[in-house]
Amino acid sequence: MADDTELETLSRKAQSDMARVRPVLDKIADKWTIMILTVLCPKPSRFNEIKRRLDGITHKSLADALKRLERNGLVTRTVLPTAPIGVQYAISPLGHSLRQPFEALCNWALENGDAFDDAGSAYDQAKAVG
């Protein structure tokens, strides 16, 4: 773990770069981006396959998210010469570069989910009493 001096330096750097960092984080840290890219990481998929694998996403939310991800260069969209015409989405090299940080975040969520929930419950209980 970094010492306090290193953490302070990292914090100052992050704050000075916030104008460049914030717009990028806003585009990848939304409700569905991480999950969509996780689904597409192993192999390209068609729209309905992605929708099936993402329990709870609506058709409109997925369509909007895929358009946004394509616009931002994180996924590619290929029209397939089938009847009826199909569309396949794949993670781009830029999107693939997010694999390691996203896997780390997912692993953190798995490892700390119970502690995260316990902290929320303890907070809610303390507020209800006090």
Side-chain angles (χ1 to χ4, degrees), residues 7-8 26 29 40 49 52 57 74 95 101 104-105 117 125:
L7 292 175
E8 190 173 325
D26 284 346
L40 291 176
E49 182 181 352
R52 275 192 301 275
I57 193 167
L74 299 175
L105 187 58
D117 291 342
Q125 190 174 28

Side-chain angles (χ1 to χ4, degrees), residues 29-49:
D30 61 44
K31 184 173 182 177
W32 292 109
T33 295
I34 293 172
M35 299 309 298
I36 291 169
L37 293 178
T38 300
V39 165
L40 291 176
C41 203
K43 65 181 177 75
S45 300
R46 292 176 72 154
F47 185 93
N48 284 329
E49 182 181 352

Side-chain angles (χ1 to χ4, degrees), residues 73-95:
L74 299 175
V75 302
T76 59
R77 180 181 182 272
T78 304
V79 177
L80 304 172
T82 58
I85 291 176
V87 176
Q88 186 176 62
Y89 295 91
I91 194 165
S92 71
L94 181 61

Side-chain angles (χ1 to χ4, degrees), residues 65-126:
L66 288 168
K67 285 177 192 170
R68 187 179 63 256
L69 292 171
E70 182 183 10
R71 180 182 183 276
N72 292 326
L74 299 175
V75 302
T76 59
R77 180 181 182 272
T78 304
V79 177
L80 304 172
T82 58
I85 291 176
V87 176
Q88 186 176 62
Y89 295 91
I91 194 165
S92 71
L94 181 61
H96 194 72
S97 71
L98 288 167
R99 181 178 179 183
Q100 186 176 9
F102 282 0
E103 282 179 354
L105 187 58
C106 288
N107 286 335
W108 181 91
L110 290 171
E111 291 170 9
N112 295 287
D114 291 340
F116 201 74
D117 291 342
D118 292 347
S121 295
Y123 178 89
D124 292 345
Q125 190 174 28

